[in-house]
Amino acid sequence: MDVTSSAPHRRSSRDKKVEIAPSSRIRVWQPRVRPQILFFDLMFAVVLVCGAAFALTKYHAHMNYYDQLVLVCTIPALTALGWRWKPARVLMVGIAALSLFSIHLYGDDLTRADHAFLLKYFLSSQSAILWMSSLFVLATLFYWIGLLSRSGSAGAIASMLTWSAVLMGFVGMMVRWYESYLIGPDIGHIPISNLYEVFVLFNLITALFYLYYEGHYKTHALGAFVLLIISAAVSFMMWYSISRDAQQIQPLVPALQSWWMKIHVPANFIGYGSFALSAMVAVTYLMKDKGILGDRLPALEVLDDVMYKSISVGFAFFTIATILGALWAAEAWGGYWSWDPKETWALIVWLNYAVWLHMRLIKGLRGRPSAWWALTGLVVTTFAFIGVNMFLSGLHSYGKL
C-alpha cells in the first residue's frame, strides 16, 4: 500500500520537472540597444553631416583643399566621439550654434563687436575667452568647496561651470578664427599660432580630458586639483595678454604659414594637456597615500588608473606631434632635426614619459614612485612649453615671451 501510494507521487514529481525544464530554456530576445538610442545616434550623425555640408557650401571660398579634407575627415571622428561620450554631443551642438550666431551678428563688419550688445559682452572672441577664464576660476572654487564640505551639490555646480567654460572657450576660438578673416583674407588663420592662443587650447583640452574622467569614474574630487593647473594657466594667459597685448590677432609669421601647423599644434597640446592632468592626479595620489583628505578622495587604484591612462594618451599624441613636427621642419628648414632648443626639450619630454611607460608596463612600476615621477614630469613639460620661450632662443623664437 505504501509502495503503490508513493509511486504516483514520484512520477508526478518527475513529470513536473520535465514540464518545467523546457520552459526554462525559453529566452525572450531583447535588443541590446534601445531603438530610441539608435535613433538619436543616427540623428546626431545626420546633424554633423548637414553642418559640414553647410560649412563647405558657405565658407568654401576661405578654405583650400586641405581645409576641406580636414573638415570632411573630422565628421567621422566627432561622430564616434559623440556616440562614445554622450555629453560631448550637447557641447558640439552648443559650440556650433553659438559660433554661427556670433558670425551672423558680425556679418562682414568687425566693428560691430564695439556696439552690438551680445558681441561686446558675450560672443566676440575676447568676451567669450574672458567668460571661459572666469568660469574656470569659479569652477575651481566650487570644486574645493565641494571637496572640503563633502557637498555633492557644490561639486555638481563646479562641473556645470567647467562645461560652460569649455563651451565659451571653444566659441571664442571659433569666432576668433572668423574675426581673423574679417581683418583681411591674408590675415585669416586658425587661432593656434601664438602663446596666447595655445594657452586657450591647453586649458580646453585639459578640461575636456578631466570632464571625461569625472563622468567615467563618477567623482568630482579630482576637479579640485586638476582645475588648479587650469586656473594657473588662465592667470598666466591674462598676465601675458595684459603685459604684451597678446590678445590682438596678428598675421602669421612665414614659418607658420603651413598646413602642418593645423595638425602638429593640436596633437602637441593634447599631449601637454594629458601630461598636466596626470601630474595633478599624481598630487591627489600622494595626498591620499599620506592620509590627507583620504576619505574624500577616490581610491588609490582609481587614481593610479587615471594617471596611467592620461600619460598613455598624452604620449601617443605627443609622439604623433613630434613626427609631424619633423616632417614640417624638413619642409620649412630643409632637415628633419636641427637640435633647436624646442626640439631638444620636446625630445626630453618624450623620453621621460617613454621611460615611465616602459617601467610601468615591463617592471610594474606603481604607487608612490610612479606618482612622484609623473609630478616631476610636469616640471620638464612646463619648461618645454614655456621655459624654452622665456630663456632660450632658436628656430621656434616666434613664440618667445
Side-chain angles (χ1 to χ4, degrees):
M1 186 71 180
D2 294 336
V3 174
T4 56
S5 62
S6 62
H9 175 73
R10 289 194 297 269
R11 284 196 299 271
S12 63
S13 299
R14 288 194 299 269
D15 292 341
K16 187 176 181 181
K17 291 178 181 178
V18 170
E19 291 172 0
I20 293 174
S23 63
S24 65
R25 298 190 187 98
I26 297 175
R27 296 179 180 177
V28 178
W29 180 84
Q30 293 181 349
R32 292 185 177 181
V33 182
R34 288 178 295 176
Q36 297 91 335
I37 296 177
L38 288 174
F39 173 77
F40 285 118
D41 285 345
L42 291 175
M43 285 301 299
F44 173 70
V46 169
V47 168
L48 286 180
V49 171
C50 292
F54 172 79
L56 287 172
T57 302
K58 188 171 180 63
Y59 303 111
H60 69 276
H62 302 293
M63 304 169 70
N64 56 31
Y65 290 114
Y66 169 76
D67 295 327
Q68 295 174 18
L69 178 63
V70 169
L71 177 60
V72 171
C73 293
T74 300
I75 299 307
L78 293 179
T79 302
L81 177 62
W83 287 354
R84 177 69 177 82
W85 188 24
K86 298 299 189 292
R89 299 180 183 187
V90 180
L91 177 66
M92 293 180 204
V93 173
I95 293 169
L98 289 178
S99 300
L100 290 173
F101 181 58
S102 177
I103 291 171
H104 171 73
L105 292 176
Y106 265 118
D108 295 325
D109 185 6
L110 186 62
T111 62
R112 286 183 58 79
D114 297 327
H115 53 268
F117 179 83
L118 289 177
L119 287 175
K120 185 174 182 179
Y121 295 105
F122 293 99
L123 293 177
S124 69
S125 65
Q126 286 310 300
S127 297
I129 290 172
L130 284 174
W131 275 107
M132 176 206 75
S133 304
S134 302
L135 289 168
F136 273 139
V137 173
L138 279 175
T140 306
L141 177 62
F142 273 93
Y143 272 122
W144 276 103
I145 292 173
L147 178 65
L148 296 177
S149 65
R150 302 175 186 271
S151 172
S153 58
I157 292 172
S159 184
M160 287 188 291
L161 288 171
T162 305
W163 277 108
S164 301
V166 171
L167 171 64
M168 295 306 293
F170 273 113
V171 169
M173 294 286 276
M174 298 299 290
V175 175
R176 186 179 177 88
W177 197 347
Y178 182 73
E179 289 171 350
S180 69
Y181 278 96
L182 289 182
I183 295 173
D186 55 334
I187 305 296
H189 61 272
I190 186 171
I192 50 174
S193 62
N194 57 40
L195 204 57
Y196 173 83
E197 293 170 346
V198 297
F199 254 98
V200 177
L201 181 64
F202 168 82
N203 292 331
L204 295 175
I205 288 174
T206 307
L208 270 180
F209 273 110
Y210 163 71
L211 288 169
Y212 174 80
Y213 292 125
E214 179 185 85
H216 182 74
Y217 291 99
K218 309 298 181 185
T219 177
H220 296 122
L222 287 175
F225 299 90
V226 176
L227 268 290
L228 281 177
I229 198 165
I230 294 177
S231 293
V234 164
S235 301
F236 178 89
M237 187 179 70
M238 291 297 101
W239 166 82
Y240 186 58
S241 62
I242 293 171
S243 64
R244 304 297 174 89
D245 205 24
Q247 76 278 6
Q248 299 300 325
I249 299 174
Q250 302 292 336
L252 284 176
V253 299
L256 296 179
Q257 294 175 3
S258 170
W259 60 270
W260 287 103
M261 181 185 71
K262 301 174 185 179
I263 51 178
H264 168 71
V265 175
N268 215 29
F269 279 86
I270 291 175
Y272 281 141
S274 297
F275 295 152
L277 190 149
S278 69
M280 301 315 292
V281 174
V283 172
T284 313
Y285 186 101
L286 293 170
M287 292 183 65
K288 172 84 172 181
D289 189 52
K290 290 185 175 294
I292 303 173
L293 300 174
D295 58 336
R296 308 179 193 192
L297 299 176
L300 292 176
E301 292 76 12
V302 171
L303 296 173
D304 185 76
D305 189 51
V306 175
M307 188 164 44
Y308 167 64
K309 289 178 178 177
S310 298
I311 290 178
S312 298
V313 171
F315 181 77
F317 277 93
F318 200 78
T319 301
I320 294 171
T322 303
I323 295 171
L324 293 173
L327 295 173
W328 186 6
E331 180 182 286
W333 301 319
Y336 292 100
W337 198 265
S338 58
W339 295 105
D340 174 76
K342 198 75 170 180
E343 295 174 348
T344 303
W345 276 95
L347 178 60
I348 293 172
V349 171
W350 186 88
L351 289 173
N352 174 71
Y353 289 106
V355 176
W356 190 96
L357 287 170
H358 172 80
M359 294 298 292
R360 180 181 179 97
L361 296 174
I362 305 301
K363 302 296 183 180
L365 181 70
R366 297 287 193 283
R368 195 178 303 173
S370 174
W372 275 112
W373 194 338
L375 183 56
T376 305
L378 179 63
V379 178
V380 178
T381 304
T382 302
F383 188 84
F385 183 9
I386 304 174
V388 171
N389 300 72
M390 294 178 65
F391 304 112
L392 303 174
S393 61
L395 295 173
H396 293 78
S397 58
Y398 46 79
K400 194 174 182 62
L401 290 175

